[in-house]
């Protein structure tokens, strides 16, 4: 059996406060100072993952005590050392492969340096994250009656590994694609590869879009309720979210879905609650598990680019082993048919 590990970390200081109630009385800065004194450790054991082929795997979640703000502000070498400590724990647990969750796949060079410093294989999970974002976005468009051939797509975070590949794969289906990045030259370079692509650094250009895929590494929301067209579809792949929680209350005419919520095959027990229904996981976690089920202890997705071929390969592995999208979730809640109907009606009224 190929065993796996996956690194998780708090998305905000408030996550710590939910698990350690006395921390509710502490300011965020004090919580982060406390986190700097803590070491990575095994958060839980994962059992029951079983492929359609009959193959099984098991693994561990390893908790890394850093928030997104700390990943971006702490010295890079310090962050690498802590991720490497997670890899050493994985080795001690008998794991052959480790997945980099959330910001651990964002900092530095997208896992390349981490892979060079550890004996076990490393993957970011970004290939299957792209695959599920593409599938979810196009399916959501169909459900709300949105014809992509005449629609405008915006990709926020277009120069990142996930954003660029989403743009490359989705753009042929749309009349126009707005690529939004932080650096104009880099964004223009991506736009040059995208069918009917246009580059900008102005995130407010999402107001022109019928469909938005957003996947930045910002530690705060970048899309607000006033930025969204009535009847539009937003796939928010980022963690922390790129879409403000205000959208959930103020814009019932917009469909916001979380990218990459996946049903895991078997009678899986993750041993911890990371906010999803039982037996479901993020796509990046699922990529790590499906590689383990396939006996492929290899560094599959690394660096700042995700190829179309890698995306297609994870789709093939998902079909082979029984991973599939687990419906829609939005702001930690399941999306019901009434929400779909409401957005469909708003779209019809706006055209």
């Amino acid at each position: 059996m190929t065993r796996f590990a996956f690194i998780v970390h708090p998305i905000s200081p408030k996550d710590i406060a939910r698990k350690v109630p006395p921390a509710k009385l502490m300011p965020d800065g004090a919580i982060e100072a406390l986190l700097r004194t803590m070491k990575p450790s095994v958060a839980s054991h994962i059992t029951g993952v079983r492929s359609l082929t009959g193959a099984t795997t098991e693994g561990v979640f390893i908790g890394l005590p850093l928030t997104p703000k700390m990943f971006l502000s702490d010295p890079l070498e310090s962050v690498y050392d802590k991720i490497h400590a997670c890899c050493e724990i994985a080795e001690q647990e008998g794991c052959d492969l480790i997945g980099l969750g959330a910001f651990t796949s964002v900092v530095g060079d997208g896992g390349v340096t981490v892979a060079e410093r550890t004996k076990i294989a490393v993957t970011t999970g970004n290939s299957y994250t792209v695959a599920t974002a593409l599938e979810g976005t196009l399916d959501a468009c169909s459900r709300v009656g949105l014809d992509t051939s005449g629609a405008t797509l915006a990709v926020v975070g277009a120069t990142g590994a996930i954003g660029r590949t989403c743009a490359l794969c989705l753009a042929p289906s749309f009349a126009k694609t707005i690529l939004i990045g932080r650096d104009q030259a880099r964004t223009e370079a991506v736009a040059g590869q995208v069918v009917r692509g246009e580059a900008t650094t102005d995130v407010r250009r999402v107001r022109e879009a019928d469909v938005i895929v957003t996947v930045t590494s910002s530690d705060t929301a970048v899309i607000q309720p006033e930025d969204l067209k009535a009847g539009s579809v937003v796939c928010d792949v980022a963690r922390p979210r790129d879409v403000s929680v205000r959208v959930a209350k103020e814009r019932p005419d917009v469909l916001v879905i979380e990218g990459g919520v996946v049903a895991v095959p078997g009678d899986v027990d993750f041993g911890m609650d990371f906010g999803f229904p039982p037996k479901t996981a993020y796509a990046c976690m699922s990529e790590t598990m499906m590689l383990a089920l396939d006996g492929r202890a290899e560094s599959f997705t690394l660096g700042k680019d995700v190829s179309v071929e890698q995306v297609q390969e994870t789709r093939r592995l998902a079909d082979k082993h029984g991973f599939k999208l687990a419906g829609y979730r939005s702001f930690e809640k399941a999306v019901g048919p009434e929400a779909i109907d409401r957005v469909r009606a708003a779209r019809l009224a706006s055209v």
Side-chain angles (χ1 to χ4, degrees), residues 15-56:
D15 285 348
I16 301 300
R18 279 194 285 270
K19 293 179 171 53
V20 185
K24 293 178 180 177
L25 305 176
M26 299 169 62
D28 288 357
I31 294 174
E32 290 176 339
L34 176 63
L35 289 174
R36 286 192 178 89
T37 68
M38 300 169 63
K39 296 180 179 179
S41 61
V42 173
S44 71
H45 287 81
I46 304 163
T47 60
V49 185
R50 177 179 288 275
S51 164
L52 295 177
T53 68
T56 60

Side-chain angles (χ1 to χ4, degrees), residues 185-248:
R186 290 179 58 206
T187 310
E188 286 180 356
V190 175
Q193 305 167 34
V194 172
V195 177
R196 297 179 287 279
E198 177 184 339
T200 180
T201 58
D202 181 5
V203 73
R204 299 284 80 85
R205 291 284 306 277
V206 297
R207 297 177 180 185
E208 303 170 32
D210 304 284
V211 180
I212 300 168
V213 175
T214 184
V215 55
T216 77
S217 55
S218 172
D219 61 351
T220 58
V222 297
I223 297 176
Q224 305 300 327
E226 56 271 24
D227 295 330
L228 300 171
K229 286 176 74 171
S232 59
V233 170
V234 185
C235 181
D236 190 349
V237 188
R239 291 296 177 276
R241 294 186 186 88
D242 282 342
V243 180
S244 168
V245 294
R246 288 174 48 217
V247 172

Side-chain angles (χ1 to χ4, degrees), residues 70-139:
M70 296 165 73
F71 275 104
L72 298 175
S73 61
D74 286 9
L76 182 58
E77 276 303 317
S78 171
V79 173
Y80 276 148
D81 287 345
K82 291 180 179 177
I83 297 175
H84 181 59
C86 295
C87 296
E88 290 184 326
I89 293 172
E91 289 179 48
Q92 293 163 8
E93 291 288 326
C95 298
D96 310 285
L97 170 72
I98 189 167
L100 305 181
F103 265 62
T104 60
S105 67
V106 173
V107 293
D109 50 15
V112 174
T113 298
V114 173
E116 290 173 349
R117 297 182 182 184
T118 184
K119 297 176 183 175
I120 63 175
V122 177
T123 192
T124 62
N126 283 345
S127 297
Y128 193 49
T129 295
V130 171
T132 55
L134 299 176
E135 182 180 353
T137 298
L138 293 176
D139 183 65

